[in-house]
Amino acid sequence: MLPLREKDKPIIRKLLSAGCCARCILRFCCVSVQAAYRQPQEQTLEELQAFIVDEENGKCQDCAATESTGTNDKSHDAALSETSEDPPSKRAKLEPSVSATKSEEDSAALVKQKDEESRLCVVCLGILQELCGTIQVIKIAEAVKAEKYEFDSLVLSLSLPAQLCVREHSCWLHVKEEVRAKGLVLDKDDVIQVKEAFKWIMQGQVAKELGGVAVVTKSAFEVGVEFTHPETDTDCHFLATTCPDCFKPTKNKQSVFTRMAVVKALEKISDARFLKHYPCPPTQPTSSCTPQDIQCLHVSVFIAGRYNKFCRSLPQTPWVIDGERRMESSVEELIAAPILSTFRADGFNFSSSGREDVDVRTLGNGRPFAMELLNPHRCRFSTAEIKQLQETINKSSDKIRVRDLQIVTREAMSRMKEGEEEKTKSYTALIWTQKPVQREDITFIDDIKDLTLDQKTPLRVLHRRALAVRQRVIHSMNTRYVDPHHFYLGLKTQAGTYIKEFVHGDFGRTKPNLCQLLKTDTDILELDVESVDVDWPPAIPE
Ligand SMILES: *[C@@H]1O[C@H](CO)[C@@H](O)[C@H](O)[C@H]1NC(C)=O
Ligand SMILES: *[C@@H]1O[C@H](CO)[C@@H](O)[C@H](O)[C@H]1NC(C)=O
Ligand SMILES: [Zn+2]
């Protein structure tokens, strides 16, 4: 039995004749019992029809005898839905207890009922009719299965044509008059949304079809069901003249008539103005909504670690100049390839704690990095499996190695970037001096502590960094003599110090510089990062 109240009757009658489907009528009656939506819509329709006829019986008991029974088919149509001049014989037919012999009137009523059953709903455009049945359930389940996602639960998300809001509003105004006249308390916000009803009907069935997975309201795995209805797309267009401000073109949207914009415009428009521009109730559509392809999306998973780079001809990210690739690979691609295939992700977003130049090696414990994996189809891994993945990366190339590989949260990832400038980095540079130097000529460098540099943005990075003078500190240095023209210089610096520029001076743009300190031209032949002192991600014991 449907949980309907006496006061719902005028609304039901009105919506039925307006061409609303049975479930949309339940919505407008604010029925929030989910089971009511799950039962077959034909049954709901029958119950609704019986419910309103019932009332007519009660009301017209006295007048029934005097009423003409000779109504034609046309008035029948109206009778079922909105008049109270119903002939008694037909009313009897709708009572389950009465098994009357089939009269002409009965079959006329049946035709009428069939008609209401097969009629496309003017509000939901078929979504709560044929578009939330077994066919759709199977389609959704097949889409999920086809992509072989691994997940605990899923959330159904529904994207509806924006004009549904316009039609909903029109129908609301249609019953609003009735509501007012009868002094009923009903607010537009109390109306159950199409989305909600759709989910109530579908969730359980989808869960069953997928072998019992939980279909919930919040999940990392989203299955997107989208409907469009090109036939009525123009329904929204009048709103652009009533509220031009609501419809501003945006970059990535195909149409300005987004659901949000339409809702906003509908909040602003007066009832009178709406009724002037739009039919109330809405017109009958000729076709139902078109289901689009099911879109599955798993939220990003984040993975972090540290990498070593052993090669002096490997950029950190793909090196492309004027659309042409300059180096065949990159650190991020070498690391990403095995990870992407393991997580079966669609793409990635790589970030690291600073970066090294193409000709600089990163030794020691390596440089912290983190990757966002987009739409991963698999995301649960044991510690052993992650270790296995790390080994796969290690073995895939001699140029890089990875350690401390681990799955992290999005929030944890920001730890890598925060306070980056305050962190220290250690380097070893192979220095060439123009003038020959003796062992004792360079030892004074070992005693220099906390040397503050003024670094103008290096010429080589001016194309991507703003011109500025940045102060950076070299905390300490040490030297290892090689021969009269070469020595190794170890440096411990504040992150963000440009080492190459400190050595050759960058035409005086970095001051002081090594040329000034040694009173000869110096250049840097090799540079290695020895350590990046960021305590994230946490070290993983071997
Ligand atoms: C990649 O990360 C950056 C910075 O965290 C972010 O702005 C960008 O939107 C991300 N890109 C994708 C495709 O997620
Ligand atoms: C990968 O290489 C790094 C750096 O040499 C090493 O620390 C780590 O243990 C290796 N991991 C595996 C699983 O091979
Ligand atoms: Zn409907």
Side-chain angles (χ1 to χ4, degrees), residues 118 170 186 188 212 247 273 436 516:
S118 58
S170 165
L186 177 63
K188 193 183 173 190
F247 302 95
R273 192 128 188 242
Q516 291 175 325

Side-chain angles (χ1 to χ4, degrees), residues 278-508:
Y278 197 82
C280 175
T283 54
Q284 182 78 39
T286 60
S287 63
S288 60
C289 282
T290 314
Q292 303 297 302
D293 286 342
I294 307 294
Q295 302 289 338
C296 299
L297 183 68
H298 196 289
V299 297
S300 296
V301 168
F302 298 85
I303 191 163
R306 290 186 170 77
Y307 73 81
N308 289 128
K309 181 188 145 198
F310 301 122
C311 174
R312 294 201 189 277
S313 58
L314 185 68
Q316 196 206 35
T317 51
W319 196 5
V320 179
I321 297 174
D322 295 333
E324 228 173 278
R325 247 201 118 113
R326 299 299 285 266
M327 297 264 174
E328 70 194 41
S329 192
S330 64
V331 172
E332 65 163 42
E333 286 165 289
L334 288 175
I335 296 175
I339 296 181
L340 281 189
S341 66
T342 301
F343 282 74
R344 290 190 283 125
D346 287 352
F348 68 90
N349 202 355
F350 187 92
S351 62
S352 63
S353 179
R355 49 160 64 217
E356 65 281 313
D357 291 337
V358 58
D359 56 350
V360 173
R361 298 189 301 178
T362 296
L363 309 175
N365 277 336
R367 183 186 297 281
F369 70 92
M371 277 172 78
E372 174 178 11
L373 302 172
L374 306 169
N375 195 14
H377 288 44
R378 192 183 163 202
C379 58
R380 267 171 306 156
F381 295 90
S382 66
T383 316
E385 285 171 313
I386 294 293
K387 194 160 181 204
Q388 176 62 49
L389 172 58
Q390 186 172 286
E391 197 178 325
T392 306
I393 300 169
N394 281 356
K395 287 187 171 156
S396 70
S397 161
D398 288 338
K399 297 173 179 172
I400 55 135
R401 290 278 181 279
V402 161
R403 80 185 70 218
D404 302 333
L405 197 66
Q406 56 198 282
I407 292 175
V408 298
T409 63
R410 182 192 290 272
E411 294 71 38
M413 220 179 113
S414 58
R415 289 266 318 272
M416 193 176 70
K417 292 280 175 192
E418 80 196 15
E420 207 174 41
E421 303 266 290
E422 280 72 58
K423 299 287 152 70
T424 60
K425 297 194 179 180
S426 303
Y427 300 87
T428 302
L430 177 57
I431 310 294
W432 168 87
T433 59
Q434 190 196 29
K435 277 198 284 187
V437 291
Q438 297 308 307
R439 216 172 272 270
E440 52 275 16
D441 295 336
I442 58 169
T443 49
F444 77 96
I445 293 173
D446 295 18
D447 300 324
I448 299 175
K449 296 283 175 267
D450 295 321
L451 177 68
T452 301
L453 311 180
D454 287 326
Q455 293 201 301
K456 248 188 220 162
T457 307
L459 289 172
R460 66 189 168 96
V461 301
L462 257 182
H463 65 282
R464 60 179 165 88
R465 278 204 86 170
L467 177 61
V469 178
R470 296 181 183 84
Q471 285 208 327
R472 290 290 184 270
V473 178
I474 297 180
H475 299 296
S476 63
M477 288 186 276
N478 62 74
T479 54
R480 186 153 54 86
Y481 187 79
V482 178
D483 63 38
H485 287 285
H486 299 94
F487 70 94
Y488 281 104
L489 176 67
L491 309 100
K492 189 168 173 154
T493 74
Q494 180 185 358
T497 308
Y498 290 104
I499 307 301
K500 288 175 178 174
E501 281 67 21
F502 166 66
V503 174
H504 60 57
D506 201 21
F507 304 99

Side-chain angles (χ1 to χ4, degrees), residues 30-214:
C30 308
V31 171
S32 58
V33 177
Q34 299 191 13
Y37 294 86
R38 291 195 196 112
Q39 71 178 23
Q41 48 166 338
E42 298 77 15
Q43 186 187 333
T44 305
L45 184 62
E46 267 176 42
E47 288 186 30
L48 286 173
Q49 285 163 336
F51 182 66
I52 53 168
V53 167
D54 236 19
E55 119 116 350
E56 284 149 16
N57 273 342
K59 203 165 79 186
C60 298
Q61 216 111 64
D62 298 340
C63 58
T66 57
E67 222 173 36
S68 152
T69 52
T71 46
N72 60 24
D73 283 357
K74 188 86 198 107
S75 67
H76 251 162
D77 269 23
L80 261 181
S81 42
E82 61 181 356
T83 75
S84 52
E85 297 138 26
D86 233 3
S89 62
K90 198 193 76 210
R91 270 180 246 126
K93 183 240 140 220
L94 285 161
E95 312 267 59
S97 55
V98 180
S99 54
T101 51
K102 281 219 182 305
S103 70
E104 278 203 344
E105 267 180 357
D106 285 342
S107 40
L110 268 176
V111 166
K112 159 76 184 124
Q113 194 179 317
K114 275 273 160 287
D115 191 41
E116 279 184 351
E117 269 172 25
S118 58
R119 199 163 55 171
L120 253 181
C121 176
V122 295
V123 191
C124 70
L125 303 171
I127 287 166
L128 297 181
Q129 296 174 300
E130 70 250 44
L131 293 172
C132 58
T134 318
I135 293 173
Q136 272 302 115
V137 168
I138 290 172
K139 192 179 158 189
I140 293 169
E142 291 304 316
V144 172
K145 286 184 204 157
E147 295 207 45
K148 297 192 167 59
Y149 277 95
E150 211 177 65
F151 57 96
D152 301 316
S153 64
L154 69 83
V155 60
L156 271 187
S157 82
L158 188 59
S159 170
L160 301 173
Q163 57 269 32
L164 240 61
C165 304
V166 177
R167 292 183 160 257
E168 183 100 357
H169 192 68
S170 165
C171 248
W172 163 248
L173 293 183
H174 188 57
V175 294
K176 190 176 166 187
E177 296 161 24
E178 195 73 21
V179 169
R180 271 219 199 103
K182 295 264 180 337
L184 300 172
V185 218
L186 177 63
D187 194 74
K188 193 183 173 190
D189 290 341
D190 298 331
V191 173
I192 305 295
Q193 303 208 345
V194 174
K195 268 185 191 185
E196 209 163 352
F198 181 86
K199 287 181 190 175
W200 289 346
I201 299 161
M202 297 293 279
Q203 278 172 352
Q205 297 184 68
V206 170
K208 208 167 140 205
E209 191 65 28
L210 284 170
V213 307

